[in-house]
Coordinates of all heavy atoms in Angstrom, one line a residue:
G1 N -34.9 218.9 68.5 CA -34.8 218.8 67.1 C -36.0 218.0 66.5 O -36.8 217.4 67.3
P2 N -36.1 217.9 65.2 CA -37.2 217.2 64.6 C -37.2 215.7 64.7 O -38.2 215.1 64.6 CB -37.1 217.6 63.1 CG -35.7 218.0 62.9 CD -35.2 218.6 64.2
D3 N -36.0 215.2 65.1 CA -35.9 213.7 65.3 C -36.1 213.3 66.7 O -35.9 212.1 67.0 CB -34.5 213.2 64.8 CG -34.3 213.4 63.3 OD1 -35.4 213.4 62.6 OD2 -33.2 213.6 62.8
V4 N -36.4 214.2 67.6 CA -36.6 213.8 69.0 C -37.9 213.1 69.1 O -39.0 213.5 68.7 CB -36.6 215.1 69.9 CG1 -37.0 214.7 71.3 CG2 -35.2 215.7 69.9
L5 N -37.9 211.9 69.7 CA -39.1 211.0 69.9 C -39.6 211.1 71.3 O -40.7 210.8 71.6 CB -38.7 209.6 69.6 CG -38.2 209.3 68.2 CD1 -37.9 207.8 68.1 CD2 -39.2 209.7 67.1
G6 N -38.7 211.6 72.2 CA -39.1 211.7 73.6 C -37.9 212.2 74.4 O -36.8 212.3 73.8
Y7 N -38.2 212.5 75.6 CA -37.1 213.1 76.4 C -37.4 212.9 77.9 O -38.6 212.7 78.3 CB -36.8 214.5 76.1 CG -38.0 215.4 76.3 CD1 -38.3 216.1 77.5 CD2 -38.9 215.6 75.2 CE1 -39.4 216.9 77.6 CE2 -40.0 216.4 75.4 CZ -40.2 217.0 76.6 OH -41.4 217.8 76.7
F8 N -36.4 213.0 78.7 CA -36.5 213.0 80.2 C -36.2 214.4 80.7 O -35.2 215.0 80.4 CB -35.5 212.0 80.9 CG -35.6 212.1 82.3 CD1 -36.7 211.7 83.0 CD2 -34.5 212.5 83.1 CE1 -36.8 211.8 84.4 CE2 -34.6 212.6 84.5 CZ -35.7 212.2 85.1
D9 N -37.2 215.0 81.4 CA -37.1 216.3 81.9 C -36.6 216.2 83.4 O -37.3 215.8 84.3 CB -38.4 217.0 81.9 CG -38.4 218.5 82.4 OD1 -37.5 218.8 83.2 OD2 -39.2 219.3 81.9
Y10 N -35.3 216.5 83.6 CA -34.7 216.4 84.9 C -35.3 217.3 85.9 O -35.5 216.9 87.1 CB -33.2 216.7 84.8 CG -32.4 215.6 84.1 CD1 -32.1 215.7 82.7 CD2 -31.9 214.5 84.8 CE1 -31.4 214.7 82.1 CE2 -31.2 213.5 84.2 CZ -31.0 213.6 82.8 OH -30.3 212.6 82.2
D11 N -35.7 218.5 85.5 CA -36.4 219.4 86.4 C -37.7 218.9 86.9 O -38.1 219.0 88.1 CB -36.5 220.8 85.8 CG -35.1 221.5 85.6 OD1 -34.2 221.2 86.3 OD2 -35.0 222.2 84.6
A12 N -38.5 218.4 86.0 CA -39.9 217.9 86.3 C -39.9 216.5 86.8 O -40.9 216.0 87.3 CB -40.8 218.1 85.1
N13 N -38.7 215.8 86.6 CA -38.6 214.4 86.9 C -39.7 213.6 86.2 O -40.4 212.8 86.7 CB -38.7 214.1 88.4 CG -38.2 212.7 88.8 OD1 -37.3 212.2 88.1 ND2 -38.7 212.2 89.8
A14 N -39.8 213.9 84.8 CA -40.9 213.3 84.0 C -40.3 212.9 82.7 O -39.5 213.5 82.1 CB -42.0 214.3 83.8
I15 N -40.9 211.8 82.2 CA -40.6 211.3 80.8 C -41.7 211.7 79.9 O -42.9 211.5 80.2 CB -40.5 209.7 80.8 CG1 -39.3 209.3 81.7 CG2 -40.3 209.2 79.4 CD1 -39.2 207.8 81.9
T16 N -41.4 212.2 78.8 CA -42.3 212.6 77.7 C -42.0 211.8 76.5 O -40.9 211.8 76.0 CB -42.3 214.1 77.4 OG1 -42.6 214.8 78.6 CG2 -43.3 214.4 76.3
L17 N -43.0 211.0 76.0 CA -42.9 210.3 74.7 C -43.8 211.0 73.7 O -45.0 211.2 74.0 CB -43.2 208.9 74.9 CG -42.5 208.1 75.9 CD1 -43.0 206.6 76.0 CD2 -41.0 208.1 75.6
L18 N -43.2 211.4 72.6 CA -44.0 212.0 71.5 C -44.8 211.0 70.7 O -44.2 210.0 70.4 CB -43.1 212.9 70.7 CG -42.3 213.9 71.5 CD1 -41.5 214.8 70.6 CD2 -43.2 214.8 72.3
P19 N -46.0 211.3 70.3 CA -46.8 210.3 69.6 C -46.5 210.2 68.1 O -47.0 209.4 67.4 CB -48.2 210.7 69.8 CG -48.1 212.2 70.0 CD -46.8 212.4 70.7
V20 N -45.6 211.0 67.6 CA -45.3 211.1 66.2 C -44.3 210.0 65.8 O -43.4 209.7 66.5 CB -44.6 212.5 65.9 CG1 -44.3 212.6 64.5 CG2 -45.5 213.6 66.3
I21 N -44.6 209.4 64.6 CA -43.6 208.5 64.0 C -42.8 209.3 63.0 O -43.4 209.7 62.0 CB -44.4 207.3 63.4 CG1 -45.1 206.5 64.4 CG2 -43.4 206.4 62.7 CD1 -46.0 205.4 63.9
P22 N -41.5 209.4 63.2 CA -40.7 210.2 62.3 C -40.7 209.5 60.9 O -40.9 208.3 60.7 CB -39.3 210.1 62.9 CG -39.5 209.9 64.3 CD -40.8 209.0 64.4
A23 N -40.4 210.4 59.9 CA -40.5 209.9 58.5 C -39.7 208.7 58.2 O -40.1 207.8 57.4 CB -40.1 211.1 57.6
Q24 N -38.5 208.5 58.9 CA -37.6 207.4 58.6 C -38.3 206.1 59.0 O -37.8 205.0 58.6 CB -36.2 207.6 59.1 CG -36.2 207.5 60.7 CD -36.1 208.9 61.3 OE1 -36.8 209.8 60.8 NE2 -35.4 209.0 62.4
Y25 N -39.3 206.1 59.9 CA -39.9 204.9 60.3 C -41.3 204.6 59.7 O -41.8 203.5 59.8 CB -40.1 204.9 61.9 CG -38.8 205.1 62.6 CD1 -38.5 206.2 63.3 CD2 -37.8 204.1 62.5 CE1 -37.3 206.4 64.0 CE2 -36.6 204.3 63.1 CZ -36.3 205.4 63.8 OH -35.1 205.6 64.5
V26 N -41.8 205.6 58.9 CA -43.1 205.4 58.2 C -42.9 204.3 57.2 O -41.9 204.3 56.4 CB -43.6 206.7 57.6 CG1 -44.8 206.4 56.7 CG2 -43.9 207.7 58.7
G27 N -43.8 203.4 57.1 CA -43.7 202.3 56.2 C -42.9 201.1 56.6 O -42.9 200.1 56.0
Q28 N -42.3 201.2 57.8 CA -41.6 200.0 58.3 C -42.6 199.0 58.9 O -43.7 199.4 59.2 CB -40.7 200.4 59.4 CG -39.4 201.0 59.0 CD -38.4 201.1 60.2 OE1 -38.8 201.3 61.3 NE2 -37.1 201.1 59.9
K29 N -42.1 197.8 59.0 CA -43.0 196.8 59.6 C -43.3 197.2 61.0 O -42.5 197.9 61.7 CB -42.2 195.5 59.7 CG -42.0 194.9 58.3 CD -41.2 193.6 58.4 CE -40.9 193.0 57.0 NZ -40.2 191.8 57.1
P30 N -44.5 196.9 61.5 CA -45.0 197.2 62.8 C -44.0 196.8 63.9 O -43.8 197.5 64.9 CB -46.3 196.6 63.0 CG -46.8 196.4 61.6 CD -45.6 196.2 60.8
A31 N -43.3 195.7 63.8 CA -42.3 195.2 64.8 C -41.2 196.2 64.9 O -40.7 196.4 66.0 CB -41.8 193.8 64.4
K32 N -40.7 196.7 63.8 CA -39.6 197.7 63.8 C -40.0 199.0 64.5 O -39.3 199.5 65.3 CB -39.1 198.0 62.4 CG -38.5 196.9 61.7 CD -37.1 196.7 62.1 CE -36.4 195.7 61.3 NZ -35.0 195.5 61.6
R33 N -41.3 199.5 64.2 CA -41.8 200.6 64.9 C -41.9 200.4 66.4 O -41.6 201.2 67.2 CB -43.1 201.1 64.3 CG -42.9 201.7 62.9 CD -44.1 202.5 62.4 NE -45.4 201.8 62.6 CZ -45.9 201.1 61.6 NH1 -45.4 200.9 60.5 NH2 -47.1 200.5 61.9
A34 N -42.4 199.2 66.7 CA -42.5 198.8 68.2 C -41.1 198.8 68.8 O -41.0 199.2 70.0 CB -43.2 197.4 68.3
N35 N -40.1 198.3 68.1 CA -38.8 198.3 68.7 C -38.3 199.8 69.0 O -37.7 200.0 70.0 CB -37.7 197.7 67.7 CG -37.8 196.2 67.7 OD1 -38.5 195.6 68.5 ND2 -37.2 195.6 66.7
V36 N -38.6 200.7 68.1 CA -38.2 202.1 68.3 C -38.9 202.6 69.6 O -38.3 203.2 70.5 CB -38.6 203.0 67.1 CG1 -38.5 204.4 67.4 CG2 -37.8 202.6 65.9
R37 N -40.2 202.4 69.7 CA -40.9 202.9 70.9 C -40.4 202.2 72.2 O -40.3 202.8 73.2 CB -42.4 202.7 70.7 CG -43.0 203.4 69.5 CD -42.8 204.9 69.5 NE -43.7 205.5 70.5 CZ -43.7 206.8 70.7 NH1 -42.8 207.6 70.1 NH2 -44.5 207.3 71.6
A38 N -40.2 200.9 72.1 CA -39.8 200.2 73.3 C -38.4 200.6 73.7 O -38.1 200.8 74.9 CB -39.8 198.7 73.1
R39 N -37.4 200.8 72.8 CA -36.1 201.3 73.1 C -36.2 202.7 73.7 O -35.5 203.0 74.6 CB -35.2 201.3 71.8 CG -34.7 199.9 71.4 CD -33.8 200.0 70.2 NE -32.5 200.4 70.6 CZ -31.5 199.6 71.0 NH1 -31.7 198.3 71.0 NH2 -30.3 200.1 71.3
L40 N -37.0 203.5 73.1 CA -37.2 204.9 73.6 C -37.7 204.9 75.0 O -37.1 205.6 75.9 CB -38.1 205.7 72.7 CG -38.5 207.1 73.2 CD1 -37.3 208.0 73.2 CD2 -39.6 207.7 72.3
L41 N -38.7 204.1 75.3 CA -39.2 204.1 76.7 C -38.1 203.6 77.7 O -37.9 204.1 78.7 CB -40.4 203.2 76.7 CG -41.1 203.0 78.1 CD1 -41.5 204.4 78.7 CD2 -42.3 202.1 78.1
L42 N -37.4 202.5 77.3 CA -36.4 202.0 78.2 C -35.2 203.0 78.3 O -34.8 203.2 79.4 CB -35.8 200.7 77.6 CG -34.7 200.0 78.4 CD1 -35.2 199.8 79.9 CD2 -34.3 198.7 77.8
H43 N -34.8 203.6 77.2 CA -33.8 204.7 77.2 C -34.1 205.8 78.2 O -33.3 206.2 79.0 CB -33.6 205.2 75.8 CG -32.6 206.3 75.7 ND1 -31.3 206.0 75.2 CD2 -32.7 207.6 75.9 CE1 -30.6 207.2 75.2 NE2 -31.4 208.2 75.6
E44 N -35.3 206.3 78.1 CA -35.7 207.4 78.9 C -35.9 207.0 80.4 O -35.6 207.7 81.3 CB -37.0 208.1 78.4 CG -36.8 208.7 77.0 CD -35.7 209.7 76.9 OE1 -35.2 210.3 77.9 OE2 -35.2 209.9 75.7
T45 N -36.4 205.8 80.6 CA -36.5 205.2 82.0 C -35.1 205.1 82.6 O -34.9 205.4 83.8 CB -37.2 203.9 82.0 OG1 -38.5 204.1 81.4 CG2 -37.3 203.3 83.4
L46 N -34.1 204.7 81.8 CA -32.7 204.6 82.3 C -32.2 206.0 82.6 O -31.4 206.1 83.6 CB -31.9 203.8 81.4 CG -32.2 202.3 81.3 CD1 -31.4 201.6 80.2 CD2 -32.1 201.6 82.6
H47 N -32.5 207.0 81.9 CA -32.2 208.4 82.2 C -32.8 208.7 83.6 O -32.1 209.3 84.5 CB -32.7 209.4 81.2 CG -31.8 209.6 80.0 ND1 -30.4 209.8 80.1 CD2 -32.1 209.7 78.7 CE1 -29.9 210.0 78.9 NE2 -30.9 209.9 78.0
W48 N -34.0 208.4 83.8 CA -34.7 208.6 85.0 C -34.0 208.0 86.2 O -34.0 208.5 87.3 CB -36.2 208.1 84.9 CG -37.0 208.3 86.1 CD1 -37.5 209.5 86.6 CD2 -37.5 207.3 86.9 NE1 -38.3 209.2 87.7 CE2 -38.3 207.9 88.0 CE3 -37.4 205.9 86.9 CZ2 -38.9 207.2 88.9 CZ3 -38.1 205.2 87.9 CH2 -38.8 205.8 88.9
L49 N -33.4 206.8 85.9 CA -32.7 206.1 87.0 C -31.3 206.6 87.2 O -30.6 206.2 88.1 CB -32.7 204.6 86.7 CG -34.0 203.9 86.8 CD1 -33.9 202.5 86.2 CD2 -34.5 203.9 88.2
G50 N -30.9 207.6 86.3 CA -29.6 208.2 86.5 C -28.5 207.9 85.5 O -27.4 208.4 85.6
L51 N -28.8 207.1 84.5 CA -27.8 206.8 83.5 C -27.7 207.9 82.4 O -28.7 208.6 82.1 CB -28.2 205.5 82.8 CG -27.7 204.2 83.5 CD1 -28.5 204.0 84.8 CD2 -27.9 203.0 82.6
D52 N -26.5 208.1 81.9 CA -26.2 209.0 80.9 C -26.1 208.3 79.5 O -26.0 207.1 79.5 CB -24.9 209.8 81.2 CG -25.1 210.8 82.3 OD1 -26.2 211.4 82.4 OD2 -24.1 210.9 83.1
H53 N -25.9 209.0 78.4 CA -25.7 208.4 77.1 C -24.4 207.7 77.1 O -23.4 208.0 77.8 CB -25.7 209.5 76.0 CG -27.0 210.0 75.8 ND1 -27.3 211.3 75.4 CD2 -28.3 209.4 75.8 CE1 -28.6 211.5 75.3 NE2 -29.2 210.4 75.5
D54 N -24.3 206.6 76.2 CA -23.2 205.8 76.0 C -22.7 206.0 74.6 O -23.5 206.1 73.7 CB -23.5 204.3 76.3 CG -22.3 203.4 76.4 OD1 -21.8 203.0 75.3 OD2 -21.8 203.2 77.5
P55 N -21.4 206.0 74.3 CA -20.9 206.2 73.0 C -21.1 205.0 72.0 O -20.9 205.2 70.8 CB -19.4 206.6 73.2 CG -19.1 206.0 74.5 CD -20.3 206.0 75.3
A56 N -21.4 203.8 72.6 CA -21.5 202.6 71.7 C -22.8 202.5 71.1 O -23.9 202.6 71.8 CB -21.2 201.4 72.6
W57 N -22.9 202.4 69.8 CA -24.2 202.4 69.1 C -25.1 201.2 69.4 O -26.3 201.3 69.3 CB -24.0 202.5 67.6 CG -23.3 201.3 67.0 CD1 -22.0 201.0 66.9 CD2 -23.9 200.0 66.6 NE1 -21.7 199.8 66.4 CE2 -22.9 199.1 66.2 CE3 -25.3 199.6 66.6 CZ2 -23.2 197.9 65.8 CZ3 -25.5 198.3 66.1 CH2 -24.5 197.5 65.7
S58 N -24.5 200.2 69.9 CA -25.2 199.0 70.2 C -26.0 199.0 71.6 O -26.8 198.2 71.9 CB -24.3 197.7 70.2 OG -23.3 197.9 71.2
E59 N -25.7 200.0 72.3 CA -26.3 200.2 73.7 C -27.6 200.9 73.6 O -27.8 201.8 72.8 CB -25.3 200.9 74.6 CG -23.9 200.4 74.7 CD -23.9 199.0 75.4 OE1 -24.6 198.8 76.4 OE2 -23.2 198.1 74.8
V60 N -28.5 200.5 74.5 CA -29.8 201.2 74.6 C -29.6 202.7 75.0 O -30.3 203.6 74.5 CB -30.7 200.5 75.7 CG1 -31.9 201.4 76.0 CG2 -31.2 199.2 75.2
M61 N -28.5 203.0 75.7 CA -28.2 204.4 76.1 C -27.4 205.2 75.1 O -27.0 206.3 75.4 CB -27.5 204.4 77.5 CG -28.5 204.0 78.6 SD -30.0 204.9 78.6 CE -29.5 206.5 78.9
F62 N -27.3 204.6 73.9 CA -26.7 205.4 72.8 C -27.6 206.6 72.6 O -28.9 206.5 72.7 CB -26.6 204.6 71.5 CG -25.9 205.2 70.4 CD1 -24.6 205.7 70.5 CD2 -26.5 205.4 69.2 CE1 -23.9 206.3 69.4 CE2 -25.9 206.0 68.1 CZ -24.6 206.4 68.2
A63 N -27.1 207.8 72.2 CA -27.9 209.0 72.1 C -29.0 209.0 71.0 O -29.9 209.8 71.0 CB -27.0 210.2 71.9
I64 N -28.8 208.0 70.0 CA -29.8 208.0 68.9 C -30.6 206.7 69.0 O -30.0 205.6 69.1 CB -29.1 208.0 67.5 CG1 -28.4 209.4 67.4 CG2 -30.1 207.8 66.4 CD1 -27.4 209.4 66.2
I65 N -31.9 206.7 69.0 CA -32.7 205.6 69.1 C -32.8 204.9 67.8 O -33.1 205.5 66.8 CB -34.2 205.9 69.6 CG1 -34.1 206.7 71.0 CG2 -35.0 204.7 69.7 CD1 -33.5 205.9 72.1
T66 N -32.6 203.6 67.8 CA -32.6 202.8 66.5 C -33.8 201.8 66.6 O -34.5 201.7 67.6 CB -31.3 202.0 66.4 OG1 -31.3 200.9 67.3 CG2 -30.1 202.8 66.5
D67 N -34.0 201.1 65.5 CA -35.1 200.1 65.5 C -34.6 198.7 65.7 O -35.3 197.7 65.5 CB -35.8 200.2 64.1 CG -35.0 199.8 62.9 OD1 -33.8 199.5 63.1 OD2 -35.4 199.9 61.8
A68 N -33.4 198.6 66.3 CA -32.9 197.3 66.7 C -33.7 196.7 67.8 O -34.3 197.4 68.6 CB -31.4 197.4 67.1
P69 N -33.7 195.4 67.9 CA -34.4 194.7 69.1 C -33.9 195.3 70.4 O -32.7 195.7 70.5 CB -34.0 193.3 68.9 CG -33.7 193.1 67.5 CD -33.1 194.4 67.1
V70 N -34.8 195.3 71.4 CA -34.5 195.9 72.7 C -33.7 194.9 73.5 O -34.2 194.0 74.1 CB -35.7 196.3 73.4 CG1 -35.4 197.0 74.7 CG2 -36.5 197.3 72.5
V71 N -32.4 195.1 73.5 CA -31.5 194.2 74.3 C -30.5 195.1 75.0 O -29.8 195.9 74.3 CB -30.7 193.2 73.4 CG1 -29.7 192.4 74.2 CG2 -31.7 192.3 72.6
L72 N -30.4 195.0 76.3 CA -29.4 195.8 77.0 C -28.0 195.3 76.7 O -27.8 194.1 76.8 CB -29.7 195.7 78.6 CG -31.0 196.4 79.0 CD1 -31.3 195.9 80.5 CD2 -30.8 197.9 78.9
G73 N -27.1 196.2 76.4 CA -25.8 195.8 76.1 C -24.9 195.8 77.4 O -25.4 196.2 78.5
P74 N -23.7 195.3 77.3 CA -22.8 195.2 78.4 C -22.6 196.6 79.1 O -22.5 196.6 80.4 CB -21.5 194.6 77.9 CG -21.6 194.8 76.4 CD -23.0 194.9 76.0
N75 N -22.4 197.6 78.4 CA -22.2 198.9 79.0 C -23.5 199.4 79.7 O -23.4 199.9 80.8 CB -21.9 200.0 77.9 CG -20.5 199.8 77.3 OD1 -19.7 198.9 77.8 ND2 -20.2 200.5 76.3
D76 N -24.7 199.1 79.1 CA -25.9 199.5 79.8 C -26.0 198.7 81.2 O -26.3 199.3 82.2 CB -27.1 199.0 79.0 CG -27.3 199.8 77.7 OD1 -27.0 201.0 77.7 OD2 -27.7 199.1 76.7
L77 N -25.7 197.5 81.2 CA -25.7 196.7 82.4 C -24.7 197.1 83.4 O -25.0 197.2 84.6 CB -25.5 195.2 82.1 CG -26.6 194.6 81.2 CD1 -26.2 193.2 80.8 CD2 -27.9 194.6 81.9
D78 N -23.5 197.5 83.0 CA -22.5 198.0 83.9 C -22.9 199.3 84.5 O -22.8 199.5 85.7 CB -21.1 198.2 83.2 CG -20.4 196.9 82.9 OD1 -20.8 195.9 83.4 OD2 -19.5 196.9 82.0
H79 N -23.5 200.2 83.7 CA -23.9 201.5 84.2 C -25.1 201.3 85.2 O -25.2 202.0 86.2 CB -24.3 202.4 83.1 CG -23.1 202.8 82.2 ND1 -22.0 203.5 82.7 CD2 -22.9 202.7 80.9 CE1 -21.1 203.7 81.8 NE2 -21.7 203.2 80.7
M80 N -26.0 200.4 84.9 CA -27.2 200.1 85.7 C -26.7 199.5 87.1 O -27.1 199.9 88.1 CB -28.1 199.1 85.1 CG -28.9 199.7 83.9 SD -29.8 198.5 83.0 CE -30.9 197.8 84.2
R81 N -25.7 198.6 87.0 CA -25.1 198.0 88.2 C -24.5 199.1 89.1 O -24.7 199.2 90.3 CB -24.1 197.0 87.8 CG -23.6 196.1 89.0 CD -22.7 195.0 88.5 NE -23.5 194.1 87.6 CZ -23.2 194.0 86.2 NH1 -22.2 194.7 85.7 NH2 -23.9 193.2 85.5
A82 N -23.7 200.0 88.4 CA -23.0 201.1 89.2 C -24.1 202.0 89.8 O -23.9 202.5 91.0 CB -22.1 201.9 88.2
A83 N -25.1 202.3 89.1 CA -26.2 203.2 89.6 C -26.8 202.6 90.8 O -27.1 203.2 91.8 CB -27.2 203.6 88.6
G84 N -27.1 201.3 90.8 CA -27.7 200.6 91.9 C -26.8 200.6 93.1 O -27.2 200.8 94.2
L85 N -25.5 200.2 92.9 CA -24.6 200.2 94.0 C -24.4 201.6 94.6 O -24.4 201.7 95.9 CB -23.2 199.7 93.5 CG -23.1 198.2 93.1 CD1 -21.8 197.9 92.5 CD2 -23.4 197.4 94.4
A86 N -24.4 202.6 93.8 CA -24.3 204.0 94.3 C -25.5 204.4 95.2 O -25.5 205.3 96.0 CB -24.1 205.0 93.2
N87 N -26.7 203.7 94.9 CA -27.9 204.0 95.7 C -28.2 203.0 96.7 O -29.4 202.9 97.1 CB -29.0 204.2 94.7 CG -28.9 205.5 93.9 OD1 -29.0 206.6 94.5 ND2 -28.6 205.4 92.6
G88 N -27.2 202.2 97.1 CA -27.4 201.3 98.3 C -27.8 199.9 97.9 O -28.0 199.1 98.8
C89 N -27.9 199.5 96.6 CA -28.2 198.1 96.3 C -27.0 197.3 96.6 O -25.8 197.6 96.4 CB -28.5 198.1 94.8 SG -28.9 196.4 94.2
K90 N -27.2 196.1 97.2 CA -26.1 195.2 97.6 C -25.8 194.1 96.6 O -24.9 193.4 96.8 CB -26.5 194.6 99.0 CG -26.8 195.6 100.1 CD -25.6 196.2 100.7 CE -26.0 197.0 101.9 NZ -25.3 198.2 102.0
A91 N -26.7 194.0 95.6 CA -26.5 192.9 94.6 C -25.4 193.1 93.7 O -25.0 194.2 93.3 CB -27.8 192.7 93.8

């Protein structure tokens, strides 16, 4: 869709970030735009590591990228921990 800023291609095992700034972010302070890009990069990287979307809007893995500061939420951390354990991590 027109609001897609980037995506993870499971077949190619590649992250694509689009260079476009959507209309809703034009005119925002640079820090807010930087938050969007940082959240997007982290979100797509977590897809690459095996995480799916989370229904909680406060999580980085929520399906819609926001301009909120980049902070992993408790669900993000739980899913990351589970993915690590499933792949042999002992921590």
Side-chain angles (χ1 to χ4, degrees):
D3 294 331
V4 172
L5 302 176
Y7 57 91
F8 176 65
D9 182 333
Y10 289 91
D11 294 327
N13 197 31
I15 296 171
T16 299
L17 303 179
L18 304 180
V20 178
I21 298 176
Q24 68 262 36
Y25 301 115
V26 172
Q28 279 190 335
K29 293 180 181 176
K32 293 280 189 177
R33 290 196 309 269
N35 286 347
V36 170
R37 300 302 283 177
R39 284 182 78 89
L40 174 64
L41 180 58
L42 180 56
H43 177 99
E44 299 305 338
T45 300
L46 292 176
H47 275 312
W48 179 70
L49 292 173
L51 276 67
D52 290 323
H53 287 144
D54 190 276
W57 66 269
S58 59
E59 304 295 315
V60 169
M61 289 310 296
F62 186 60
I64 298 170
I65 303 300
T66 70
D67 61 3
V70 182
V71 177
L72 292 168
N75 293 351
D76 293 323
L77 295 172
D78 286 345
H79 295 301
M80 289 171 57
R81 191 173 300 110
L85 291 172
N87 288 291
C89 182
K90 305 281 188 219

